[in-house]
Amino acid sequence: MVTGSAGFIGGHVAETLSAAGHDVLGLDLRDGDDVRDAEVLDTLLPGVDVVVHQAAKVGLGVDVSDLPDYASVNVYGTAVLLAAMARHRIARLVLASSMVIYGEGDYECVWHGRVRPGPRAVPDLEQGRFEPVCPRCDEPVRCASIGEDAPPDPRNAYATSKLAQEHLTANWARETGGSAVALRYHNVYGPRMPRDTPYAGVAAIFRSELAAGRPPKVFEDGRQLRDFVHVRDVARANLAAVLASSRPGALRAYNIASGAPHTVGEMADALAAEQGGPNPEITGGYRLGDVRHIVASPERACLELGFRAEIGFDAGMKEFARS
């Protein structure tokens, strides 16, 4: 069963699983089925071998008024699903998690080695000082790849709700002997990505601006590093997780990323070039929930799931700009 099967990522996941020969049962709020409804789950779950949980309220959000929805859909919804899985003795879960649980990425200080800076100060952001500094000596630091064992540091409601999903899933696995995989997606983009919503990803927002003849507005100085991973690669990662050997009683997390980071400015430039402009506008603005750099190490997923992203940045952005 794929939850969120009518969504952007969930739809691609369901298609990929079906193409690989699996019998896929979809559950999606748009089809009238709510993961928070225990009676619906009790009707659908008998006969299911694996649940692939994609349903979620996504995006950074607008303001604190979004807190109840994030808690209800992502946290409570996952709790209801896990309880239903226990009732029906379903022992395998693939969870759509996110890199946002890390908060700021890993950095290297020449004096103190690996460090994790805290939230950036508002006065620094207002004065255009966007780069984090070492939390121990205030000296400049260099961005480094973050691994799955890095301590979480969620910075917004969505991130907190995704971390809560992982904790609840780990509780379920320990208490039932089930096995779970958490796929921590990095910046997913690709065909059928939602348009014109404040909860859409930055790639979709830029594409919508260009389609309307407006320049994409790039926050900060555009040099924020992200790992943009194509949705078809993400779907392949889910297939790999379904097929991988299980670890009863445990949750195992994996970065799902391309391994080839690019700046947000580079992404805006690529989309603008493909659509013939207008050129992006660097605004110098900021959002408090944003982090500066987050770069993934995809090695664990490669070694343990046999997954490595296949769609490169240039080819992916060309397709996405016209999708």
Side-chain angles (χ1 to χ4, degrees):
M1 184 172 79
V2 177
T3 72
S5 58
F8 165 47
I9 298 176
H12 284 276
V13 170
E15 290 170 3
T16 297
L17 291 169
S18 293
H22 295 273
D23 294 324
V24 177
L25 174 67
L27 181 151
D28 197 279
L29 187 60
R30 280 174 257 191
D31 299 327
D33 295 329
D34 192 337
V35 74
R36 294 168 291 186
D37 189 327
E39 291 185 3
V40 167
L41 293 173
D42 285 337
T43 299
L44 296 177
L45 283 174
V48 168
D49 298 309
V50 183
V51 173
V52 182
H53 185 29
Q54 306 289 322
K57 181 180 176 68
V58 300
L60 184 62
V62 177
D63 53 39
V64 293
S65 66
D66 285 321
L67 288 172
D69 277 349
Y70 280 112
S72 177
V73 177
N74 297 355
V75 183
Y76 178 68
T78 299
V80 173
L81 174 64
L82 293 169
M85 288 177 64
R87 284 196 302 276
H88 294 278
R89 302 182 185 276
I90 299 169
R92 182 114 174 104
L93 176 71
V94 177
L95 171 68
S97 188
S98 174
M99 57 85 178
V100 295
I101 71 163
Y102 295 124
E104 197 65 66
D106 258 4
Y107 293 81
E108 290 278 354
C109 173
V110 295
W111 302 110
H112 298 107
R114 284 284 175 122
V115 294
R116 296 285 301 284
R120 295 175 292 173
V122 171
D124 286 339
L125 294 170
E126 289 180 342
Q127 294 176 38
R129 295 194 295 268
F130 301 122
E131 292 291 341
V133 296
C134 176
R136 297 178 62 184
C137 66
D138 288 334
E139 291 296 317
V141 289
R142 181 176 59 86
C143 183
S145 292
I146 196 163
E148 290 86 351
D149 294 329
D153 184 18
R155 303 283 177 89
N156 54 63
Y158 174 60
T160 300
S161 72
K162 297 306 286 185
L163 181 58
Q165 285 184 321
E166 287 198 17
H167 286 319
L168 288 169
T169 299
N171 296 156
W172 165 83
R174 282 193 298 270
E175 294 185 27
T176 66
S179 63
V181 168
L183 302 180
R184 293 175 179 167
Y185 303 157
H186 284 251
N187 287 68
V188 185
Y189 72 98
R192 307 203 300 264
M193 195 173 188
R195 296 174 181 264
D196 304 320
T197 164
Y199 303 97
V202 66
I205 293 170
F206 287 172
R207 184 182 59 178
S208 293
E209 290 292 288
L210 287 163
R214 297 187 294 266
K217 292 180 171 55
V218 182
F219 286 166
E220 302 187 17
D221 57 6
R223 296 176 184 169
Q224 314 89 295
L225 278 170
R226 298 290 187 272
D227 191 305
F228 299 99
V229 58
H230 197 280
V231 67
R232 288 199 297 274
D233 279 329
V234 170
R236 287 179 46 251
N238 277 270
L239 174 61
V242 166
L243 298 176
S245 59
S246 61
R247 300 185 180 203
L251 169 72
R252 186 71 166 165
Y254 298 92
N255 283 324
I256 302 302
S258 72
H262 288 79
T263 68
V264 173
E266 287 173 333
M267 187 262 288
D269 287 338
L271 293 176
E274 192 60 29
Q275 294 199 358
N279 292 328
E281 176 186 332
I282 306 298
T283 69
Y286 63 89
R287 297 187 303 180
L288 281 178
D290 285 341
V291 298
R292 180 60 174 174
H293 304 300
I294 180 75
V295 174
S297 170
E299 291 309 306
R300 180 185 288 181
C302 179
L303 293 172
E304 298 184 11
L305 301 181
F307 167 77
R308 193 172 284 281
E310 295 178 351
I311 301 173
F313 179 82
D314 291 340
M317 287 297 166
K318 283 180 182 294
E319 177 198 23
F320 176 63
R322 299 183 179 278
S323 63

